[in-house]
Amino acid sequence: MKKKILILMLALLPIFMLGAKNSSSSTSSNSVPATTTSAGQKATPKKSKYIIASDSSFAPFVFQNDNSQYTGIDMDLIKAIAEDQGFTIEITNPGFDAALNAVQSGQADGMIAGMTITDARKETFDFSEPYYTANTILAVKNNSKISSYEDLKGKTVGVKNGTASQTFMENNQKKYGYKIKTFSDASSMYDSLNSGSVAAVMDDEPVVKYSISQGQKLKTPIEGTPAGDTGFAVKKGSNPELIEMFNNGLANLKANGKFQKILDKYLASNSKSSTDTADETTITGLISNNYKQLLQGLGVTIALALLSFAIAMVIGVIFGMFSVSPIKALRIIATVFVDVIRGIPLMILAAFIFWGIPNFIESMTGQQSPINDFVAGTIALSLNSGAYIAEIVRGGIQAVPVGQMEASRSLGISYGTTMRKVILPQAARLMLPNFINQFVIALKDTTIVSAIGLVELFQTGKIIIARNYQSFRMYAILAVLYLVLITILTRLAKRLERRM
Ligand code: GLN
């Protein structure tokens, strides 16, 4: 088996080695709106720490550098403002759409992510003074023949969910007759452009121009459309002091020149990003550059799988026993649990726990009650696997001939003792292969909960791709990692099975 995997990897290796390294060109467009807040002011923080949500890849505003640290204009800006105003921040980078949700559900206090100030958003967000002005622009591949919006007729255009570009494309869809494909993050969107599954993408102009300057083989055939100003946001009506501190800090940084320094650091025309270092166009280069990040992601995946499976076993055994219980009420409870959980897609369950419930609690109590993404992911996975395990347990017990229970009971042995001493030992042996199967499914399902922004192995890979666009090799590495991990774990489980 191991040999076969090795041979497969070796066979695929030459394909990974192929691949082009691009060269750089052009600069970015930018403009900074004036600030009306005067410098030299300070507001008082009301919380000991503010959680700030951001995008995961939106260079030059926010992106990961080689050391897996998030950098960019927005990251430097919010840190400098926090320092200037004397408040503490913790930054999370779940992605743009997830960040919008995080602020709305009270998971985060504020967000900075190259976010456009629009009238629609003002209904649900309070914005700071703008710190940047950007166009939204269409990007196509270098060799594309598209040169006007009319040329998009019948073609598919990619946009990132929740963005101003998405709104723009939706508003003009009837006029030009294109299809829209919505992506949850920039990496999958640009991957799809590169692979040709979308003909064009719409994104903020500084972002497109920046990626071109970093060597992406893209062009912008149509002038950008003004999208509006970029600002920092909080949920409408909450954390007003945070907006005040942001405005004060921005004014101070503009006055003392630090703001300009931040912009220059990322936008200066020849600033070749430091992220473009070691050769990431080979499998070995990719691994040696990113192994720390990958191992971290792998650790989260394993922890998530093991922990949630352990909890799921407890849930599953309890509900499985309920479902064969002589007490009708318990049987009904078990059926309802299994039917409800099995009837809800895991991704929706995770989103409901992570975003829905905190949002509900806040609307009831007025208290923000965020839940940690790992905890939410674990709960969702545990419930999901728990429902399936309950069915495995029920099936296992029912597979033991009824005569056994009857014989034991007629000897005067109680239901509980018969279950424990006679039925379960036999049933357990029948259940074991199904448990192993369910564990493999649970491990693979951890990728689904990356949707709530949890940075497990899959999300780690996507973040790396967002930086270097090596989707083919990176997904191949991920596939092999999962394959090896699952093979090792199933081997171990099989050995355990044999011993029993
Ligand atoms: N400026 C765009 C918006 O606010 C995109 C922001 C982003 O993708 N991070 O919708």
Side-chain angles (χ1 to χ4, degrees), residues 55 58 96 113-116 121 160 162-165 203-204 230:
D55 208 334
F58 199 58
F96 187 71
M115 183 179 181
T116 309
R121 282 183 185 155
K160 234 167 73 180
T163 59
S165 302
D203 206 352
D204 288 16
T230 305

Side-chain angles (χ1 to χ4, degrees), residues 9 29 56 61 74 77 132 137 150 156 222 300 320 360-361 377 397 434 450 456 465 469 490:
M9 282 174 67
S29 69
S56 52
F61 295 98
D74 285 4
L77 182 59
Y132 206 78
I137 201 166
E150 281 78 14
T156 306
I222 310 167
V300 176
F360 175 71
I361 295 176
I397 293 173
N434 295 325
S450 69
E456 37 64 80
I465 294 169
Y469 303 99
T490 39

Side-chain angles (χ1 to χ4, degrees), residues 12-21 281-283 470 472-473:
L12 288 173
L13 220 51
I15 314 175
F16 300 149
M17 304 296 189
L18 291 169
K21 182 102 180 165
T281 58
T282 62
I283 288 275
Q470 295 295 325
F472 180 59
R473 291 180 191 79

